[in-house]
Amino acid sequence: MCGIVGAIAQRNVVPMLVDGLKRLEYRGYDSAGIAVLDKEIKRVRRVGRVAEMENAAKEINLTGLLGIGHTRWATHGGVTEPNAHPHVSAGLIAVVHNGIIENHDEKRDELKRLGYMFTSQTDTEVIAHLVHHHYTRAKDPARDLLVAVKSAVKELVGAYAIAVIAMDKPDQLVVARMGCPLLIGVGEGENFVASDVSAVLSSTRKVIYLEEGDVANLTRDSIKIWDKNGVAIERTQHLSDVSLASLELGPYSHFMQKEIHEQPKALSDTIEQVLEQGFVPELFGADAAKIFSDIEGIQIIACGTSFYAGSVARYWIESIAGLPCQVEIASEYRYRDVAANPKHLVVTISQSGETLDTMEALKFAKSLGCNKTLSICNVRESALPRSSALVFYTRAGAEIGVASTKAFTTQLVALFTLTVTLAKMRGRISDEQVAQHLDALRHLPGSVQHALNLEPQIAIWSDKFAPKHHALFLGRGLHYPIAMEGALKLKEITYIHAEAYAAGELKHGPLALVDESMPVVVIAPNDTLLEKVKSNMQEVRARGGELFVFADLDSHFSESEGVHVIRTPRHAGVLSPIVHSIPVQLLAYHAALARGTDVDKPRNLAKSVTVE
Ligand code: HGA
């Protein structure tokens, strides 16, 4: 959440900053702003999208060889221009910030006592004044921006990625990170910083990922980094494999639509390594065989869609691998008195690998002695894999739509692979069963493609959803989490209130909600629970609820008054939840189109949740 970008170059950096912000806009789109050095600090900020800020920058012909930019997802202070970043202190210091400063109230009072006037309600403005305070304490010519930033961050409690420039330092860009992502883009005679690689790719593919507590000093020709102990340090330079083309919309209207349709490819790319090597522990890292060999259970920790992926995995892990498995929302786990078992494998799941709650929950688990850790992530070198003993990278490619789609289904592949690997190691399944599971994975992209072909039928249904205020999603067993994911997708992008229930729970309360105006989506594959689900559907129909059923080709459902049925491909066995994710994604997407909401940038949300 919140995107920051900075550049120091021998060319006008404004086009690069604007382009970078457009690519980071998925992280926050409440307001946008840039500040450049052009003898003085010149700043443009606008509430709304980057494009509006870009127009304003063009109007005043903003140019500079050094600058910083920000696209905001507000945490402290409303969505207003005075709260938009960059924040400037006395015309001397400009700061952009991603994160939350927890001691901002206390620091604000201190700074007010020192005579600083605040023009925003943000926590970020505290950083600008604090840097200014340290910067100006030493009188000219001893002013040192790097020292000032280092001193300022020592006083901050909370999470931050910051980029700072000073009016009288045209050759210096200082950055720091703690808890929020930040990378340096290494150029020729120019250098960059950004929250993620997409923002620097048009200038360079060479990147250095900063670690927790790092402070860095960038000039046009040099990059110097100090670690959390203040020790000068070299960080590895990587060559990003993200292509610019993969970040473009291409023929699609929305990134969500593109990403839904990319799933057969994302799945085959993720499955490829498994097909090549089989279900071997090495897929998760060199130490996996040792770590997996004596685990007594699994603790999955995640948020949002990733939590639902974990919830599907619980069914797989317990039934196929025979290991007890708990799944918990990261923001609950981290603040609970957990009775942790160090012999449990802690699995964290996050598309970005930067989700703050998940990251903190992992730290907490480790503090309780749980060092058998595995992360499932889509972004290489992100914080979670760096903090975990083992990692499985999904190969979904960049996911830009705020509502996660391909990251979810590829996470499920990773979790299924984990399940079968553990089952095999524990002697729970025969070679023949292993081969069957491999075969199921091989056929998965094809089944998903068939599910995508249902789009025209689903689009017709979505018209019926568009005028509704509420919807229920029902599923049982492995498909209960898919009902939850379907409800989440619908609320995220259509703003229709949607709830998911394990179908057996209906009569314990939610049935009271059902009347003629309530659409009820049922995930009803032809599995052992089908007859139970059918009974639950009768209960809904008897109260006038309108049923929208996703069934398999081979389940014998017929349409009738108030019962609509779409048949997904032949039953995909244990991988059926992955195939059934597609129709619920398409339903939400088309209902959002019908309602005219902003599919890729739903209100109040943003991607990569790097704040609490
Ligand atoms: N706290 C700052 C930055 C918000 C942020 O990083 N959001 O993800 C603000 O509210 O402006």
Side-chain angles (χ1 to χ4, degrees):
M1 278 175 167
C2 278
I4 70 177
V5 62
I8 181 161
Q10 286 149 1
R11 54 176 167 138
N12 177 19
V13 296
V14 171
M16 184 274 163
L17 294 178
V18 169
D19 178 67
L21 288 181
K22 283 187 179 164
R23 298 195 183 277
L24 294 176
E25 205 170 13
Y26 69 92
R27 302 174 71 95
Y29 31 86
D30 289 337
S31 61
I34 50 182
V36 293
L37 201 62
D38 180 14
K39 297 193 188 71
E40 54 184 326
I41 290 177
K42 291 192 179 153
R43 169 174 68 167
V44 175
R45 300 181 293 173
R46 285 292 180 275
V47 166
R49 301 294 158 90
V50 173
E52 289 170 46
M53 190 274 297
E54 179 185 19
N55 289 339
K58 277 191 186 136
E59 269 168 35
I60 60 161
N61 195 19
L62 192 72
T63 57
L65 307 181
L66 167 64
I68 51 179
H70 189 266
T71 175
R72 181 170 188 241
W73 186 83
T75 64
H76 289 59
V79 181
T80 63
E81 198 167 302
N83 287 338
H85 302 213
H87 288 282
V88 174
S89 181
L92 186 60
I93 298 290
V95 173
V96 287
H97 165 224
N98 168 207
I100 289 177
I101 304 305
E102 287 168 13
N103 59 340
H104 70 101
D105 275 335
E106 177 194 325
K107 288 287 147 201
R108 183 181 286 253
D109 290 345
E110 281 173 29
L111 288 160
K112 276 186 181 165
R113 281 197 291 277
L114 290 168
Y116 284 95
M117 310 259 282
F118 281 77
T119 56
S120 81
Q121 301 146 337
T122 62
D123 49 342
T124 305
E125 196 180 355
V126 159
I127 310 175
H129 295 316
L130 202 55
V131 173
H132 181 279
H133 167 62
H134 287 288
Y135 190 55
T136 52
R137 263 199 327 193
K139 295 291 171 221
D140 274 336
R143 280 178 174 180
D144 188 328
L145 185 61
L146 178 64
V147 170
V149 172
K150 283 184 176 175
S151 308
V153 295
K154 276 196 194 122
E155 293 185 41
L156 301 177
V157 177
Y160 54 81
I162 56 170
V164 186
I165 58 172
M167 186 264 281
D168 54 355
K169 292 283 154 64
D171 304 317
Q172 195 175 12
L173 171 60
V174 181
V175 301
R177 77 155 277 193
M178 178 67 84
C180 294
L182 195 62
L183 58 85
I184 295 174
V186 185
E188 301 286 329
E190 54 185 19
N191 287 310
F192 312 92
V193 291
S195 300
D196 89 36
V197 71
S198 63
V200 299
L201 271 186
S202 56
S203 303
T204 181
R205 312 188 71 76
K206 292 184 215 154
V207 290
I208 296 171
Y209 297 95
L210 291 180
E211 304 264 338
E212 292 290 69
D214 281 358
V215 178
N217 192 60
L218 278 64
T219 67
R220 289 174 182 82
D221 302 308
S222 70
I223 296 165
K224 293 211 170 81
I225 305 172
W226 291 264
D227 71 8
K228 58 176 185 286
N229 300 316
V231 177
I233 190 150
E234 294 278 324
R235 297 263 179 240
T236 318
Q237 185 173 301
H238 300 261
L239 202 59
S240 172
D241 59 1
V242 178
S243 77
L244 259 189
S246 71
L247 305 173
E248 307 292 343
L249 255 185
Y252 296 98
S253 310
H254 298 96
F255 280 106
M256 182 180 182
Q257 183 193 27
K258 176 179 183 238
E259 288 154 12
I260 289 174
H261 283 273
E262 280 173 348
Q263 285 176 107
K265 164 112 177 54
L267 289 164
S268 358
D269 288 350
T270 305
I271 291 165
E272 192 186 341
Q273 48 196 322
V274 191
L275 295 184
E276 276 168 15
Q277 300 177 51
F279 295 102
V280 291
E282 288 68 31
L283 289 167
F284 301 87
D287 294 337
K290 188 162 160 280
I291 291 177
F292 289 170
S293 65
D294 68 342
I295 55 172
E296 290 176 354
I298 303 223
Q299 173 68 62
I300 298 178
I301 305 173
C303 308
T305 289
S306 302
F307 170 74
Y308 297 138
S311 305
V312 173
R314 183 163 77 98
Y315 288 87
W316 283 333
I317 289 166
E318 298 215 343
S319 84
I320 302 173
L323 276 165
C325 178
Q326 294 163 23
V327 190
E328 190 157 354
I329 294 165
S331 54
E332 286 298 312
Y333 182 90
R334 62 182 283 202
Y335 290 119
R336 207 162 62 74
D337 290 328
V338 175
N341 181 344
K343 289 221 152 184
H344 280 189
L345 176 71
V346 174
V347 180
T348 52
I349 314 169
S350 157
Q351 187 282 131
S352 66
E354 303 284 353
T355 310
L356 188 88
D357 281 322
T358 311
M359 192 61 212
E360 291 301 319
L362 174 61
K363 273 190 207 156
F364 178 54
K366 283 167 56 174
S367 76
L368 300 174
C370 298
N371 290 313
K372 297 173 188 294
T373 55
L374 162 69
S375 70
I376 294 174
C377 288
N378 195 36
V379 179
R380 286 186 182 263
E381 295 303 322
S382 51
L384 272 177
R386 286 205 307 263
S387 306
S388 305
L390 305 173
V391 59
F392 186 103
Y393 284 115
T394 52
R395 297 185 185 166
E399 191 181 67
I400 293 168
V402 166
S404 180
T405 51
K406 60 179 181 170
F408 177 65
T409 46
T410 53
Q411 283 167 356
L412 286 172
V413 163
L415 289 159
F416 182 72
T417 303
L418 174 67
T419 304
V420 181
T421 304
L422 291 172
K424 206 175 124 194
M425 285 180 77
R426 293 164 56 77
R428 293 268 310 182
I429 46 176
S430 64
D431 289 350
E432 197 188 337
Q433 284 167 314
V434 172
Q436 278 164 3
H437 288 316
L438 205 59
D439 215 39
L441 274 185
R442 190 175 289 116
H443 289 103
L444 180 67
S447 305
V448 164
Q449 186 56 57
H450 280 116
L452 286 167
N453 297 344
L454 300 171
E455 188 165 12
Q457 297 170 58
I458 295 171
I460 295 170
W461 273 15
S462 63
D463 288 340
K464 295 185 194 292
F465 275 76
K468 301 287 184 190
H469 297 292
H470 306 276
L472 277 181
F473 283 69
L474 304 179
R476 289 188 85 130
L478 273 174
H479 298 86
Y480 168 42
I482 302 305
M484 294 196 270
E485 172 61 4
L488 179 67
K489 288 284 91 89
L490 194 73
K491 357 183 202 218
E492 277 180 309
I493 60 168
T494 68
Y495 320 142
I496 295 170
H497 169 226
E499 296 284 342
Y501 283 94
E505 269 293 291
L506 260 189
K507 55 194 172 296
H508 298 289
L511 201 54
L513 295 169
V514 173
D515 63 12
E516 295 74 24
S517 65
M518 179 66 88
V520 181
V521 179
V522 190
I523 321 288
N526 189 6
D527 60 15
T528 50
L529 291 169
L530 181 62
E531 291 311 315
K532 303 274 177 211
V533 173
K534 280 184 177 169
S535 308
N536 301 139
M537 286 164 49
Q538 294 303 329
E539 293 159 12
V540 171
R541 214 33 226 135
R543 273 94 193 161
E546 194 172 5
L547 289 162
F548 297 85
V549 187
F550 291 115
D552 290 326
L553 265 186
D554 50 2
S555 56
H556 305 285
F557 265 111
S558 43
E559 298 238 348
S560 57
E561 171 82 26
V563 184
H564 314 278
V565 182
I566 289 181
R567 289 191 171 75
T568 52
R570 194 180 306 284
H571 189 56
V574 280
L575 297 182
S576 170
I578 303 181
V579 177
H580 277 85
S581 305
I582 311 302
V584 296
Q585 294 168 353
L586 286 169
L587 181 63
Y589 174 69
H590 283 281
L593 285 190
R595 283 169 76 91
T597 53
D598 190 339
V599 172
D600 284 335
K601 300 189 180 75
R603 69 182 182 204
N604 307 338
L605 301 178
K607 215 166 172 69
S608 275
V609 187
T610 53
V611 294
E612 245 197 281

